C-alpha cells in the first residue's frame, strides 16, 4: 500500500511538502517556506506545516527528505528539520545552496551551511541507496534553478512520477532533454502523475510576455543592451539560464559586471555544467564562449584568488578559461556595462546597498542612457505577493520587463500527459487545481484528475 499526502501545495504556489509512505518506509519531497511576505496570510503557515509534517513534539521520523532544487519555496524550512533525518539534494545544487546560505545567513543564530554540508547527494539515474521499500530515481529537469530534479517512485507494484518544478523552454531542454528522458527511462504508462501547475493561473501573463524561451530572452536582451550605455539587470542570483543569456549577449564594447557573491555562483555553475549548459547559440568557437567578468564592490582577496584558480582549472576540462577582474566603481562607466543587481535584503535607514547606490547615481545623472531590465516574476511588483525590497529599488523608474517563466506552460503539461499516459493525475504547486479538469488542453484526461486537499491522504 502506498500513501501520498501533500501537506501543503495542493492549492498554492510554493511552500510545498509531499509525504510518500510504503510499508513503513516514509520519505518527504521538499520542505518549502511560503513565498516571501505571504506567511501571515497563508492558509497554512510555516509553523503549522512543520507541526503537520513532524508532529507538534517533532516525534515523526522520515527515512529520507529529498530536495528537488534550491529555491526557498522548496527547501526553505530545512533548518527546522529534526536531527537524525538524512537529507538529500543534487550535487551542483548543494554547492550553490552552500554559497547562497553563506550570503543570507550572515546574522543568523543557526548557521544553515553546517546543515547543508551534511546533506547527502543524489545523482540523476541512480536510485537513493538507503531506501529498500521504495525505489526512487531522480532525473534532471529544465527549471530556472540549475540542477533541479523530478523523481520516479516505484513501490508496491506502482509507478509514480513526481515532476517537481519543471519547464521545456530553457537552455537545458534545447536538446529535448525532458522528452528524451521520459521516453528512455519513464515510459508510456504511469500509475500516478503528481505534476506542478504553476502556469495554469498565469496563462494571460505568459501570452502577453514578449519572450517565451530563454533563447528569445537572450536575443531581446542584446537589442536592449545596444540601445543604452548603462544596463542594470535585476535577476535572481541563481537563475543561471537567464544570467548566461545576459552574459553571452553583452556587446563586446561593454563590461559584464557582478559582485563577488554572484561571481562565485556563476563559477560554480560553469565548473559543474560546462558546455552542457553554456553553449552560445551563434557559431562561435568554443574558445570564444567566455568573455571577461568584472567584479565590482568589496572583494575578499581569498575569494578572488580562489575564483582565479578555479577559472584556470576549467581549461583542464576542455573549457575556455574564465577570467575575473576587479574594477572600482569609478571605472565602470567608461565603456558602458551590463550590471547584475539584486534588491537589498539587508536594508537599513543608515545607507543603501552598492547596487541601489549605483543605480540611483546613474539614473539621476544619466537617465537617458540607462536601462533597468526587470527579469523576475511580475507578481513581485504589486498585489499580495509584492516584494517591497524590489519595488523600493525600482521606485518610479520606467523599467523594461524581460523574463521567461521557470515553470511549464499549459502545452508542456499537455505533452507530459501524452508522453506518460497516467492513470491518475494529481495537480499541485498551483492555484488552479480545481480547474484542471475543465481546461480544454486536458479534456482527454478529465476523468483521471484527482484533486487533493492539503493534509489529505491518498491510498493506492
Amino acid at each position: 500500500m502506498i500513501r501520498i499526502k501533500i501537506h501543503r501545495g495542493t492549492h498554492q504556489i510554493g511552500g510545498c511538502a509531499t509525504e510518500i509512505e510504503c510499508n513503513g518506509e516514509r520519505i518527504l519531497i521538499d520542505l518549502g517556506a511560503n513565498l516571501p511576505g505571504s506567511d501571515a496570510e497563508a492558509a497554512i503557515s510555516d509553523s503549522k506545516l512543520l507541526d503537520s509534517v513532524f508532529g507538534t513534539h517533532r516525534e515523526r521520523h522520515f527515512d529520507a527528505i529529498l530536495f528537488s532544487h534550491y529555491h526557498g519555496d522548496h527547501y526553505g524550512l530545512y533548518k527546522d528539520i529534526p536531527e537524525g533525518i538524512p537529507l538529500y539534494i543534487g550535487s551542483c545544487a548543494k554547492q550553490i545552496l552552500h554559497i547562497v546560505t553563506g550570503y543570507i545567513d550572515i546574522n543568523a543564530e543557526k548557521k544553515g551551511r553546517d546543515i547543508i554540508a551534511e546533506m547527502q547527494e543524489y545523482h540523476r539515474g541512480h536510485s537513493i541507496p538507503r531506501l529498500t521499500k521504495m525505489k526512487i530515481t531522480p532525473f534532471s529537469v529544465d527549471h530556472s534553478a540549475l540542477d533541479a530534479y523530478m523523481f520516479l517512485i516505484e513501490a508496491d507494484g506502482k509507478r509514480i512520477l513526481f515532476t517537481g518544478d519543471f519547464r521545456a523552454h530553457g537552455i537545458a531542454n534545447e536538446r529535448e532533454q525532458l522528452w528524451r528522458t521520459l521516453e528512455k527511462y519513464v515510459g508510456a504508462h504511469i500509475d500516478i502523475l503528481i505534476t506542478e501547475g504553476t502556469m495554469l493561473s498565469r496563462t494571460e501573463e505568459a501570452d502577453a510576455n514578449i519572450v517565451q524561451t530563454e533563447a528569445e530572452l537572450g536575443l531581446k536582451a542584446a537589442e536592449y543592451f545596444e540601445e543604452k550605455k548603462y544596463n542594470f539587470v535585476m535577476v535572481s542570483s541563481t537563475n543561471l539560464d537567464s544570467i548566461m543569456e545576459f552574459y553571452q549577449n553583452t556587446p563586446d564594447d561593454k563590461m559584464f559586471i557582478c559582485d563577488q557573491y554572484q561571481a562565485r555562483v556563476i563559477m560554480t555553475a560553469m565548473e559543474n555544467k560546462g558546455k552542457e549548459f553554456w553553449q552560445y547559440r551563434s557559431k562561435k568557437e568554443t574558445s570564444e564562449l567566455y568573455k571577461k567578468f568584472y567584479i565590482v564592490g568589496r572583494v575578499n582577496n581569498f575569494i578572488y584568488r580562489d575564483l582565479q584558480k578555479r577559472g584556470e582549472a576549467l581549461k583542464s576540462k576542455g573549457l575556455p578559461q574564465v577570467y575575473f577582474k576587479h574594477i572600482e566603481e569609478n571605472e565602470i562607466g567608461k565603456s558602458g556595462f551590463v550590471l547584475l543587481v539584486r534588491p537589498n535584503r539587508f536594508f537599513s535607514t543608515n545607507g543603501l546597498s552598492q547596487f541601489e547606490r549605483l543605480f540611483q547615481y546613474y539614473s539621476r545623472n544619466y537617465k537617458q542612457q540607462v536601462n533597468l531590465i526587470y527579469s523576475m516574476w511580475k507578481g513581485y511588483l504589486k498585489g499580495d505577493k509584492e516584494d517591497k525590497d524590489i519595488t523600493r529599488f525600482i521606485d518610479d523608474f520606467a523599467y523594461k520587463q524581460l523574463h521567461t517563466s521557470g515553470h511549464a506552460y499549459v502545452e508542456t503539461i499537455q505533452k507530459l500527459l501524452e508522453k506518460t499516459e497516467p492513470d491518475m493525475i494529481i495537480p499541485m504547486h498551483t492555484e488552479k487545481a480545481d480547474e484542471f479538469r475543465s481546461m480544454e488542453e486536458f479534456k482527454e484526461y478529465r476523468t483521471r484528475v484527482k484533486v487533493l486537499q492539503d493534509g489529505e491522504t491518498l491510498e493506492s
Side-chain angles (χ1 to χ4, degrees):
M1 177 73 69
I2 298 175
R3 295 180 177 85
I4 299 171
K5 179 188 289 187
I6 301 174
H7 289 269
R8 186 171 68 186
T10 62
H11 289 78
Q12 73 174 54
I13 295 170
C16 300
T18 302
E19 177 180 332
I20 300 177
E21 186 266 331
C22 180
N23 298 326
E25 193 167 67
R26 181 186 297 122
I27 64 139
L28 191 72
I29 301 178
D30 290 333
L31 186 63
N34 276 319
L35 293 176
S38 67
D39 192 55
E41 292 78 30
I44 299 177
S45 67
D46 288 345
S47 61
K48 288 182 179 178
L49 175 64
L50 291 167
D51 289 345
S52 173
V53 173
F54 300 112
T56 55
H57 301 291
R58 304 300 185 257
E59 70 277 6
R60 297 186 74 229
H61 184 75
F62 286 81
D63 293 281
I65 296 179
L66 315 178
F67 296 111
S68 60
H69 62 283
Y70 53 64
H71 282 161
D73 61 326
H74 290 259
Y75 86 92
L77 301 182
Y78 73 107
K79 288 186 183 180
D80 297 295
I81 296 172
E83 293 184 5
I85 300 176
L87 311 181
Y88 287 84
I89 194 168
S91 175
C92 180
K94 178 180 176 178
Q95 295 175 52
I96 291 175
L97 192 54
H98 195 263
I99 297 170
V100 171
T101 304
Y103 171 72
I104 64 177
D105 262 11
I106 296 173
N107 301 312
E109 292 182 7
K110 186 175 182 180
K111 298 297 183 182
R113 296 180 84 176
D114 295 336
I115 300 172
I116 293 166
E118 296 298 319
M119 289 183 181
Q120 301 180 55
E121 299 173 4
Y122 56 68
H123 303 277
R124 62 183 180 185
H126 297 275
S127 58
I128 309 299
R130 69 173 288 110
L131 301 174
T132 59
K133 307 293 177 58
M134 293 183 278
K135 180 182 179 183
I136 301 183
T137 309
F139 294 104
S140 299
V141 291
D142 179 9
H143 184 42
S144 52
L146 200 64
D147 203 32
Y149 291 85
M150 64 170 53
F151 299 101
L152 177 63
I153 301 142
E154 299 170 279
D156 205 30
K158 299 289 178 64
R159 302 171 75 240
I160 302 168
L161 184 65
F162 182 96
T163 69
D165 289 359
F166 78 104
R167 64 180 180 179
H169 53 271
I171 293 175
N173 207 54
E174 288 182 355
R175 295 181 178 86
E176 301 286 310
Q177 173 194 312
L178 173 62
W179 311 123
R180 289 190 291 110
T181 296
L182 291 175
E183 289 172 2
K184 185 174 182 179
Y185 299 105
V186 177
H189 176 76
I190 288 292
D191 293 287
I192 301 174
L193 174 68
I194 305 174
T195 180
E196 74 129 301
T198 309
M199 297 304 290
L200 302 187
S201 59
R202 300 178 184 174
T203 53
E204 292 183 5
E205 177 185 325
D207 292 342
N209 203 351
I210 62 172
V211 296
Q212 296 293 313
T213 69
E214 293 287 354
E216 291 173 350
L217 178 143
L219 294 174
K220 194 66 181 178
E223 294 179 20
Y224 288 158
F225 296 159
E226 292 287 357
E227 293 172 358
K228 301 291 177 75
K229 186 174 183 180
Y230 307 118
N231 296 274
F232 294 83
V233 181
M234 182 175 287
V235 60
S236 166
S237 63
T238 57
N239 187 352
L240 289 150
D241 274 21
S242 291
I243 285 171
M244 292 309 295
E245 292 292 347
F246 293 130
Y247 167 62
Q248 296 288 13
N249 286 283
T250 296
D252 291 337
D253 62 345
K254 290 184 172 67
M255 297 178 174
F256 183 86
I257 308 174
C258 60
D259 67 351
Q260 68 171 10
Y261 157 73
Q262 182 69 80
R264 293 177 68 204
V265 175
I266 291 171
M267 178 58 79
T268 300
M270 285 183 166
E271 286 179 321
N272 281 270
K273 294 297 182 181
K275 286 185 290 186
E276 178 185 355
F277 273 62
W278 311 129
Q279 293 285 5
Y280 193 28
R281 290 177 191 81
S282 73
K283 295 185 178 179
K284 286 187 176 182
E285 296 296 326
T286 302
S287 60
E288 297 178 338
L289 285 174
Y290 302 153
K291 300 183 283 288
K292 190 173 290 184
F293 290 83
Y294 292 87
I295 302 175
V296 69
R298 182 183 66 83
V299 177
N300 179 298
N301 286 332
F302 173 80
I303 292 176
Y304 189 66
R305 288 193 298 270
D306 180 62
L307 287 170
Q308 300 296 350
K309 184 178 179 180
R310 293 163 67 185
E312 293 171 1
L314 287 177
K315 291 184 70 175
S316 66
K317 296 185 177 182
L319 295 167
Q321 184 172 340
V322 175
Y323 297 93
F324 286 94
K325 180 180 179 181
H326 180 228
I327 187 167
E328 299 294 337
E329 287 186 8
N330 60 2
E331 297 180 278
I332 69 173
K334 293 179 180 178
S335 62
F337 56 74
V338 172
L339 172 60
L340 303 185
V341 301
R342 300 183 302 280
N344 185 10
R345 303 301 186 190
F346 313 109
F347 182 80
S348 70
T349 56
N350 298 325
L352 301 175
S353 71
Q354 65 166 342
F355 295 133
E356 287 175 292
R357 186 177 66 252
L358 284 167
F359 178 66
Q360 289 189 9
Y361 172 77
Y362 281 94
S363 62
R364 289 170 180 171
N365 294 287
Y366 306 95
K367 186 173 183 179
Q368 298 307 313
Q369 300 181 64
V370 171
N371 266 332
L372 174 59
I373 295 172
Y374 178 74
S375 188
M376 300 176 76
W377 178 46
K378 189 176 180 180
Y380 292 136
L381 297 177
K382 62 181 180 179
D384 60 349
K385 302 295 192 305
E386 178 185 351
D387 187 320
K388 296 191 182 300
D389 292 326
I390 292 175
T391 53
R392 184 192 66 248
F393 187 113
I394 296 174
D395 197 17
D396 61 352
F397 195 87
Y399 64 89
K400 289 182 170 71
Q401 171 90 14
L402 187 56
H403 179 61
T404 186
S405 177
H407 300 277
Y409 298 136
V410 172
E411 56 268 27
T412 304
I413 298 175
Q414 179 184 13
K415 187 171 180 178
L416 171 72
L417 299 179
E418 294 170 354
K419 290 286 186 182
T420 58
E421 283 294 335
D423 288 341
M424 181 184 295
I425 303 162
I426 301 175
M428 67 173 295
H429 202 282
T430 180
E431 296 170 342
K432 297 290 186 178
D434 295 315
E435 298 179 22
F436 203 96
R437 295 188 189 94
S438 61
M439 298 195 70
E440 180 66 21
E441 292 85 351
F442 308 146
K443 62 181 181 181
E444 295 181 18
Y445 303 92
R446 288 172 182 165
T447 59
R448 310 184 199 182
V449 176
K450 174 69 175 178
V451 176
L452 297 179
Q453 302 299 316
D454 287 343
E456 178 184 355
T457 299
L458 172 72
E459 295 187 346
S460 176

